[in-house]
Amino acid sequence: MQLAKPVPQEVVQQVAEYFSILSEPMRLRILNLLRDGEKCVQELVEATQTSQANVSKHLKVMLQAGILSRRSEGTSAYYSVADPLIYELCTLVCNRLATRIEQQARHFRDFSLANRE
């Protein structure tokens, strides 16, 4: 069996930071809203029913991580997904969770059927 090479601490830290961006529910909501294309901050505020300061805070984090891109038009800022790989990652996680939930449901059904006999 071959041992894995040690990964530099800086690399592990960057990967952890990238995953931490997706650990915030509001950021996932914003990403889902941007799935159909770019939106201005006000559209995101209305869709999430939260404050502009809150939305802007999350947009800034995702922008700095390279997940989003921003363009200005007049006094409005428009955001879009710069890294579409983020949706593939979300799909993998959602599919995994769905599989686990389906397995749990089967276990509950099996348990309830076993207790009827």
Side-chain angles (χ1 to χ4, degrees), residues 7 11 13 34 37 49 53 72 78-79 81-82 85 94 96 99 114:
V7 178
V11 172
Q13 184 65 35
L34 294 173
Q49 298 181 341
S72 296
Y78 289 84
Y79 288 84
V81 174
L85 182 65
C94 288
R96 178 37 120 180
T99 299

Side-chain angles (χ1 to χ4, degrees), residues 93-112:
V93 171
C94 288
N95 287 342
R96 178 37 120 180
L97 291 173
T99 299
R100 283 187 183 170
I101 291 167
E102 290 164 359
Q103 288 172 345
Q104 288 176 338
R106 276 196 300 278
H107 292 309
F108 281 112
R109 279 192 289 279
D110 292 345
F111 179 76
S112 69

Side-chain angles (χ1 to χ4, degrees), residues 60-107:
K60 180 181 177 184
V61 170
M62 290 188 287
L63 183 67
Q64 289 174 338
I67 294 171
L68 299 183
S69 61
R70 179 186 190 271
R71 74 173 181 86
S72 296
E73 187 176 298
T75 59
S76 297
Y78 289 84
Y79 288 84
S80 61
V81 174
D83 184 1
L85 182 65
I86 202 76
Y87 291 122
E88 292 178 43
L89 184 58
C90 287
T91 297
L92 284 171
V93 171
C94 288
N95 287 342
R96 178 37 120 180
L97 291 173
T99 299
R100 283 187 183 170
I101 291 167
E102 290 164 359
Q103 288 172 345
Q104 288 176 338
R106 276 196 300 278
H107 292 309

Side-chain angles (χ1 to χ4, degrees), residues 1-13:
M1 183 164 104
Q2 187 177 8
L3 295 174
K5 292 181 183 178
V7 178
Q9 182 61 32
E10 302 83 38
V11 172
V12 173
Q13 184 65 35

